[in-house]
Each structure stands twice: as structure tokens, then as C-alpha cells.
Amino acid sequence: VSAITIFQSIGYYQNTNLALVWINRSVDLNLLGFHVPVAWFNSIDPLASIVGVPLLFALWRWQATRAAEPDDLGKIAVGAWLTAIANLLLVAACLLSPRTPAIVPIAYDVLLGIGFLYYWPTLLALVARAAPSGVKATLMGAVFLTLFISNTIIGWLGGFYEHMTPANFWLMHAGIAATGVVLAWVLKRPLKRALAIA
């Protein structure tokens, strides 16, 4: 399950790497008469995650009353979908205009922040619940290796930025994140059996 999340982490964490380069080069940073500093975009997805917590809890409670709340792997898949959609938003922006309005990367970061809430805390909770007691702390620590792997790959993929169009670069990341969706759904039944989770 942890390995599945590597794909959406790649799509997510590029926002603190090449996304800032793209914003600096391709985004009109004037928003309602104010010049938005590029570095401020690093604050949007954490803010979206903080604000999104009570909203998602309310949504999940509402879904639970209707027996429609996604299970852990379903939430991880939703997080991957939102990450893919966020990257597709940048693809569309690149194709529609050479100078993208600042609202687009803001929406991108908000989607990423909500997507992160769907997959990362869910993964940590799943591992804490399903790991054998003797190795629970070790496996909780091992989950963070997925971030090491993701960020290593992100750095490598960043090297392709100068050799691709921005639209193709973000399309590649959308496809990588969507791979996490596919894997979560394809492996859902065997993983649920292995983890003995409902």
C-alpha cells in the first residue's frame, strides 16, 4: 500500500520543485492588482490541507451515514485522482495561453492539498492499525521511505523539464499520479484480504 502512494507523491511534491520554476516563467503573478511572490505558492497547499481537515471529516461522516464513505484504499485512490487532476489543470493552462493567470497555480495547490489529506494521513492510519505490534514503529518509519523514493524520482524527472514542453511535463506527472489510482483499484481486493480490513 505504501508503494502505491509513491506515484501520487511524485505528482504532489513536484509543486515545491519544478512547479515554482514554471510559475516564475509562465504565470502572470499579478492578482487583483497585487504581485504574488513565487515563494508564496509554497504556502497554499499546506493551508488547503489545514482548512480541509474539518471539511473532509464532515464529508466522511456524512458519507458514512449513507454507507458511502470510501475505505482506506478508496481514499488513497481519491487522493491520487485529485493529484492527477491538479496536474491536468496545469496541462490545460499551458495549452490555452502562454501566460497563465495566477489563479491556476493557486487552484493546482489547493487540489494537491486536499488530495494529500486523502492519501497521506489515511496511509499512516492504515499502517498504524494493520502493522503487527512488534514491528509497528519500524513500519511507521518505513512509510517515510516512500517520500525519499518519491523525492529522488522527482529530482530525476526535473531534468526532463528543459527538454519537454511544460504541457507534456505536467501531463507526464498527471499520468504518474493516475498510475496510483489504477494500482489502488486493481490491488484493492487482494490488499484488503491481506490486511484483513473492511
Side-chain angles (χ1 to χ4, degrees), residues 80-102:
W81 263 127
L82 290 172
T83 303
I85 291 168
N87 282 278
L88 287 174
L89 182 62
L90 298 191
V91 173
C94 292
L95 294 175
L96 290 172
S97 173
R99 201 74 178 156
T100 301

Side-chain angles (χ1 to χ4, degrees), residues 17-29:
N17 190 27
L18 264 296
L20 297 176
V21 174
W22 174 77
I23 290 169
N24 190 50
R25 291 182 182 178
S26 304
V27 173
D28 179 1
L29 295 171

Side-chain angles (χ1 to χ4, degrees), residues 37-121:
V38 173
W40 283 19
F41 286 90
N42 270 335
S43 305
I44 297 171
D45 75 277
L47 177 62
S49 293
I50 293 167
V51 173
V53 168
L55 299 176
L56 278 187
F57 280 173
L59 172 63
W60 293 339
R61 278 195 298 268
W62 179 79
Q63 289 175 323
T65 62
R66 289 155 178 79
E69 181 184 3
D71 59 18
D72 290 334
L73 286 164
K75 288 176 182 173
I76 288 170
V78 170
W81 263 127
L82 290 172
T83 303
I85 291 168
N87 282 278
L88 287 174
L89 182 62
L90 298 191
V91 173
C94 292
L95 294 175
L96 290 172
S97 173
R99 201 74 178 156
T100 301
I103 193 67
V104 172
I106 291 172
Y108 160 78
D109 277 320
V110 168
L111 283 170
L112 290 179
I114 300 300
F116 180 82
L117 280 180
Y118 264 96
Y119 86 88
W120 184 249

